Amino acid sequence: MVQKRFDPDTHYAIQQLQPPVNTDHIKRKFLDVPYAALSPAQKLDIYLPDEGEGPFPVILSIHGGAFMGCDKSDAQVTPMLEGLKRNYAVVAVNYRLSWEAVFPALVQDAKAAVRWVRANARQYHLDPKRIAAWGGSAGGYQSSMLGTSAGIPELEDPSLGNPDQPCNIQAVVSWYGPTDFLKMDEYLASSGMLPPPGFRHNEANSPESLLLGQVITEIPEKVKAANPETYIRPGVPPFLLQHGVKDPVVPVQHSIELAVKLQRMSGDARVELDLIEGAEHADPKFETPENVKKVLDFLDRHLK
């Protein structure tokens, strides 16, 4: 067993935190808005285009951080904010991290945030029928879970608010998001990138074991319940999966396998897999103007 609580400030997975984002240039914003009342973590930031009354399609920005760190207002939201120039609203979401609550709390929070956006869409000029989730690493995982698991009772907590609203979304952008935690070390080993002991995913101190509350090798059924692939069904929204081929943290095979399984269910036209040669985990190549344009073009195709 692993302890539910630990010190995330000293964990190897988040030793290089992102700096805060500067949003002084954004005229219309609403910061630290609670979307639920169970935890101080359950807050979101809303950014609107400078002009217009909308309703604006929504980019739900979900930060990464090994399930245990980082924040909605750090620099990870920078590429998503480019969507303001194309008349998207950006809603950046915090969620309970693994030092506070284990799975499925983080997924329940993300779904509660979607329900809150729909319930408050009119007040904030948001379009409740056009919501896309976009995130990297743990944020990519969250985005994929939102895309595949709408309507799964075990992953929803209506007591967090707005139970009359649906939590489905209309598009997913996942950057280097994990899927099957039990295959991470296996895939990294096959690519010659297995980390040394003390930094492996199958160990008690890994981000994945801490997220699930126990060493993942001892709880295969819970690992399955935490895998976005488990919930793929007809009607899943369009997915854009981007992953670095040289990712030493989340193996590229995760996005490859997820794409294959999504394509089997919904067809090739609704699933785009983009493998970025030479890119590592959270590589700057994902945030180049050319790649951000590619992501926004994908969202335009499916939300406009």
Side-chain angles (χ1 to χ4, degrees):
M1 294 287 290
V2 295
Q3 295 297 318
K4 181 176 178 179
R5 294 192 174 274
F6 59 97
D7 184 0
D9 294 331
T10 62
H11 197 279
Y12 65 82
I14 53 167
Q15 289 306 293
Q16 293 181 321
L17 295 178
Q18 296 269 6
V21 68
N22 185 345
T23 60
D24 290 346
H25 62 288
I26 299 175
K27 298 177 183 177
R28 297 196 291 180
K29 52 184 178 278
F30 308 87
L31 305 180
D32 289 325
V33 181
Y35 64 82
L38 186 61
S39 165
Q42 294 166 327
K43 294 179 181 177
L44 51 79
D45 298 334
I46 302 170
Y47 302 96
L48 300 180
D50 286 346
E51 298 178 354
E53 295 303 309
F56 302 107
V58 176
I59 294 173
L60 196 73
S61 171
I62 311 180
H63 71 81
F67 307 113
M68 66 179 72
C70 301
D71 188 83
K72 60 181 169 51
S73 62
D74 69 28
Q76 294 180 70
V77 75
T78 302
M80 293 74 169
L81 291 175
E82 288 296 304
L84 295 173
K85 300 173 184 176
R86 296 207 195 185
N87 254 20
Y88 287 93
V90 177
V91 178
V93 179
N94 271 353
Y95 49 91
R96 284 172 288 171
L97 301 173
S98 57
W99 54 265
E100 179 180 0
V102 297
F103 175 88
L106 78 169
V107 179
Q108 293 170 340
D109 285 356
K111 291 170 180 283
V114 173
R115 296 197 306 268
W116 185 95
V117 165
R118 288 204 163 96
N120 295 275
R122 184 181 297 272
Q123 178 181 351
Y124 292 99
H125 309 286
L126 309 175
D127 189 335
K129 297 180 180 179
R130 295 186 291 168
I131 301 174
W134 177 3
S137 198
Y141 168 85
Q142 286 271 64
S143 299
S144 293
M145 287 294 278
L146 284 175
T148 63
S149 70
I152 302 298
E154 299 78 25
L155 299 179
E156 301 186 17
D157 183 356
S159 71
L160 294 178
N162 306 295
D164 57 320
Q165 298 290 338
C167 63
N168 64 304
I169 59 175
Q170 285 64 58
V172 173
V173 178
S174 174
W175 282 354
Y176 41 87
T179 53
D180 186 343
F181 298 158
L182 283 173
K183 291 184 178 179
M184 299 180 83
D185 285 342
E186 172 189 339
Y187 284 147
L188 290 172
S190 70
S191 301
M193 293 188 287
L194 182 67
F199 298 87
R200 294 178 181 171
H201 298 282
N202 285 348
E203 296 172 336
N205 194 43
S206 74
E208 297 76 29
S209 293
L210 293 167
L211 174 67
L212 299 190
Q214 193 172 342
V215 183
I216 57 173
T217 54
E218 299 175 358
I219 47 170
E221 286 305 310
K222 193 162 188 180
V223 172
K224 182 179 179 181
N227 184 350
E229 298 172 342
T230 299
Y231 307 102
I232 295 174
R233 295 158 294 160
V236 291
F239 270 70
L240 171 60
L241 303 170
Q242 294 192 316
H243 213 122
V245 173
K246 296 294 186 181
D247 194 322
V249 179
V250 177
V252 67
Q253 292 94 327
H254 274 204
S255 287
I256 294 171
E257 287 204 355
L258 178 57
V260 169
K261 293 174 181 179
L262 288 165
Q263 286 165 343
R264 285 177 189 159
M265 184 60 66
S266 59
D268 293 352
R270 292 174 63 82
V271 184
E272 298 183 31
L273 174 64
D274 192 4
L275 304 182
I276 300 180
E277 291 294 334
E280 300 184 6
H281 197 70
D283 198 288
K285 292 180 181 180
F286 288 91
E287 297 194 20
T288 64
E290 295 78 14
N291 194 58
V292 172
K293 178 183 183 301
K294 186 181 295 185
V295 174
L296 293 173
D297 288 347
F298 166 83
L299 295 178
D300 284 352
R301 288 195 295 275
H302 296 288
L303 267 66
K304 291 186 175 181

